Amino acid sequence: MTLTRGDGLRRVLFVAAVLALMLFWATAASGLCPRVDFVRVSDRSIAMGWTMDESEAEIEDFGGYRVWFREVWESDEFSLLSEYEFGEEDPDAASYWPFDPYYEQPVRSDSAAIFQNAFPYELSVTAFTASNPDSNDAECLEANRTGIIYPRVGVQDGLEEIECIPNPYRSSADWEYGGQRRVTFVGLPSRATIMIYTVALDHVRTLEHDDPGSDQEFWDLKSKDGDEVAPGVYLWHVEAEGLGTTDGRVMIIK
């Protein structure tokens, strides 16, 4: 039988459609989607808890969980942070399952030391099946997005944890997120006065921090007159009633 050009084109389109369908099923939603119960931030760390509607042991074809994150200032795409494979008992395995006994611990948590204080992140969690462990549920990932969160030291009773980040500050660096030209003082007590000077001790700006729920105070790199500061080294001095004073410096590179 002789194939016409139209027959050949139809065959090519058919093969392409089959391949597309195979790819779809390889990455299709598993039908398993955990529910995020809480998100907590601490010093260079984020914890997230989630549950399923029933024990993993009672879910047919359950494979495990994947925790995803994205560095908001750098990408719109999520990257894999950690994977938990149901039944993996080796603590040294990349997919180690630390939830034991799983049926007595319905809330899971995840924490990683890769986070930096005052930087914006977003997390999500998905589940996968044992029969198709390479599948990723895009709909579940989207539904479980935590929104933008910032790790932080937390309100302090002293001045030992105060620092100004990033240091040095570079205007062309990834820190520039959404046009936010700023550095952040972290590790503050609930109330403090931050005074910023040039190395010649000329007064640049005073910031008043008064927030019992936050250890952070932003400096938008502007002087007390509203002008953008020049590149260079700036000294900062923090005072807090009853706690004393502390000093530091930050370099601004433009």
Side-chain angles (χ1 to χ4, degrees), residues 104-122:
E104 294 182 2
Q105 307 227 6
V107 177
R108 323 301 184 188
S109 64
D110 183 79
S111 181
I114 66 172
F115 303 112
Q116 296 297 317
N117 291 332
F119 278 63
Y121 300 91
E122 186 173 23

Side-chain angles (χ1 to χ4, degrees), residues 73-173:
W73 69 95
E74 187 172 32
S75 175
D76 292 328
E77 301 297 325
F78 281 86
S79 300
L80 183 63
L81 175 61
S82 56
E83 178 176 294
Y84 305 109
E85 183 178 347
F86 186 61
E88 175 57 69
E89 299 178 352
D90 183 2
D92 295 326
S95 56
Y96 172 59
W97 183 272
F99 315 121
D100 183 29
Y102 50 83
Y103 50 83
E104 294 182 2
Q105 307 227 6
V107 177
R108 323 301 184 188
S109 64
D110 183 79
S111 181
I114 66 172
F115 303 112
Q116 296 297 317
N117 291 332
F119 278 63
Y121 300 91
E122 186 173 23
L123 273 68
S124 184
V125 60
T126 60
F128 59 90
T129 61
S131 61
N132 189 10
D134 295 329
S135 64
N136 288 318
D137 191 335
E139 291 185 3
C140 183
L141 187 148
E142 184 68 22
N144 280 331
R145 294 174 66 148
T146 62
I148 298 174
I149 46 183
Y150 295 82
R152 58 178 178 268
V153 175
V155 175
Q156 301 293 299
D157 295 328
L159 307 182
E160 297 81 8
E161 300 294 330
I162 297 176
E163 59 180 324
C164 184
I165 58 176
N167 188 11
Y169 168 90
R170 293 180 175 86
S171 61
S172 60

